[in-house]
């Protein structure tokens, strides 16, 4: 798969899954714009080592105006936005009647509404150039629920629904929209949940095992590298008629 000449934007890609996907697309030759907080230099270095040109934009994905600035930045830096990976996401775990209202609002804004905003802003350019790929990093929680994750599950189900609508609206064009639904991937977002469990019973290894054993029959984490390969496939010509799927890659989680 050769993505030379294509430009990809991966939101929330300074760590975890987004960074893994950005590195894989860069390795295939794409120009990259990464986004997110934290150690930006380290993330830029990781992408640079794998391939082509890369820039960072610090847009807060909860803010529609900053998202508009991000999409404009991609188009002005590289002249196009061909591959849009909606990946930015956060988590908060609490029962619904104790769920902090501001955390609900942030999760809906970052995990769901940002995907609407990037897509509505990127589509006109994709249409003008006659090609595009939109890949939404949803979750198994876009397909099934888990107690304590009201906002996250609602947002990810929303992402899966939005994916289907965008796929239908682009069905007669060389633009596809699909969702990827990972199970547990060992990233900072999940490490936090392991740490919270370990705090309760004091044993990190057991917390890690129990987290997997509850949901993921393989008892192994999905890796950012595996998600990068699936993303690359969805960008390929072979996937031109894969439209509107919610593709779980989850160690058997939702086969149960
Ligand atoms: P992570 O915490 O490692 O990375 C999240 C990224 O998003 C970081 O780059 C962070 O800086 C960025 N980010 C956070 N808030 C932002 C904001 N307001 N604006 C811009 N960037 C922001 O998390 P991850 O596990 O790599 O998760 C990435 C995506 O994958 C999320 O959408 C998550 O829901 C999804 N996902 C993760 C798992 C998992 O097990 N880790 C499973 C299924 C789905």
């Amino acid at each position: 798969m050769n993505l030379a000449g294509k430009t990809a934007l991966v939101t929330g890609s300074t760590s975890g899954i987004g960074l893994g996907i950005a590195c894989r697309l860069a390795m295939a030759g794409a120009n990259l714009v990464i986004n997110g907080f934290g150690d930006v230099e380290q993330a830029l270095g990781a992408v640079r080592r794998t391939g082509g040109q890369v820039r960072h934009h610090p847009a807060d994905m909860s803010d529609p105006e900053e998202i508009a600035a991000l999409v404009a930045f991609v188009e002005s830096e590289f002249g196009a936005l061909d591959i849009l990976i909606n990946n930015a996401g956060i988590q908060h775990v609490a029962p619904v009647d104790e769920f902090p209202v501001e955390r609900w609002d942030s999760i809906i804004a970052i995990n769901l509404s940002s995907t609407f905003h990037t897509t509505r802003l990127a589509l006109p350019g994709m249409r003008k150039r006659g090609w595009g790929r939109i890949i939404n990093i949803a979750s198994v929680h876009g397909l099934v629920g888990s107690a304590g994750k009201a906002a996250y599950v609602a947002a990810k189900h929303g992402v899966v629904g939005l994916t289907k609508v965008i796929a239908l609206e682009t069905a007669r064009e060389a633009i596809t929209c699909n969702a990827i639904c990972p199970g547990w991937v060992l990233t900072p977002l999940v490490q936090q949940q392991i740490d919270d469990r370990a705090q309760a019973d004091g044993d990190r290894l057991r917390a890690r095992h129990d987290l997997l054993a509850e949901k993921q029959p393989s008892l192994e984490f999905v890796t950012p590298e595996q998600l990068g390969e699936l993303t690359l496939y969805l960008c390929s010509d072979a996937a031109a008629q894969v439209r509107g799927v919610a593709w779980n890659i989850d160690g058997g989680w939702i086969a149960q």
Side-chain angles (χ1 to χ4, degrees):
M1 182 70 203
N2 185 355
L3 295 178
K6 302 276 193 236
T7 297
L9 164 63
V10 187
T11 68
S13 44
T14 47
S15 82
I17 294 169
L19 183 55
I21 291 173
C23 288
R24 188 64 189 94
L25 295 177
M27 213 184 292
N31 302 316
L32 258 298
V33 174
I34 63 169
N35 152 262
F37 311 135
D39 197 339
V40 171
E41 282 313 312
Q42 194 183 14
L44 281 168
V47 180
R48 234 175 246 129
R49 278 193 294 281
T50 61
Q53 299 201 64
V54 57
R55 309 269 191 281
H56 171 262
H57 190 282
D60 180 337
M61 298 307 292
S62 67
D63 182 333
E65 280 181 22
E66 293 192 27
I67 295 171
L70 166 64
V71 172
F73 174 80
V74 180
E75 291 180 335
S76 79
E77 285 292 301
F78 292 114
L81 198 180
D82 305 297
I83 298 168
L84 169 62
I85 314 292
N86 289 304
N87 170 77
I90 58 169
Q91 177 62 285
H92 186 83
V93 181
V96 71
D97 53 332
E98 293 168 20
F99 213 91
V101 171
E102 68 283 0
R103 297 301 285 169
W104 170 276
D105 288 342
S106 312
I107 290 175
I108 298 300
I110 296 166
N111 296 20
L112 173 59
S113 301
S114 73
T115 297
F116 160 66
H117 290 300
T118 52
T119 302
R120 73 182 171 80
L121 294 162
L123 258 180
M126 289 178 178
R127 286 199 160 118
K128 204 158 63 188
R129 291 181 296 278
W131 192 89
R133 292 287 186 266
I134 301 167
I135 298 167
N136 299 326
I137 307 305
S139 166
V140 284
H141 285 118
L143 304 168
V144 296
S146 287
K149 298 187 174 173
Y152 189 85
V153 169
K156 295 298 187 180
H157 274 68
V159 169
V160 169
L162 179 60
T163 300
K164 293 174 183 172
V165 172
I166 297 163
L168 291 173
E169 292 184 5
T170 54
R172 296 190 182 173
E173 302 171 78
I175 298 169
T176 68
C177 180
N178 292 290
I180 293 178
C181 298
W184 291 124
V185 187
L186 191 54
T187 67
L189 183 142
V190 166
Q191 189 60 51
Q192 183 61 50
Q193 293 173 62
I194 295 173
D195 293 347
D196 291 347
R197 280 168 179 254
Q199 229 174 15
D201 82 353
D203 184 335
R204 288 186 90 189
L205 266 183
R206 188 164 61 221
R208 188 181 145 135
H209 174 271
D210 289 353
L211 176 114
L212 282 169
E214 265 175 24
K215 303 277 186 181
Q216 199 145 303
S218 67
L219 298 181
E220 287 182 29
F221 289 101
V222 180
T223 67
E225 290 74 21
Q226 290 163 347
L227 294 166
E229 294 299 331
L230 179 53
T231 301
L232 200 62
Y233 166 69
L234 291 173
C235 290
S236 72
D237 292 341
Q241 291 310 323
V242 179
R243 293 172 184 266
V245 305
W247 192 316
N248 51 303
I249 168 167
D250 62 1
W253 184 321
I254 65 160
Q256 296 166 102

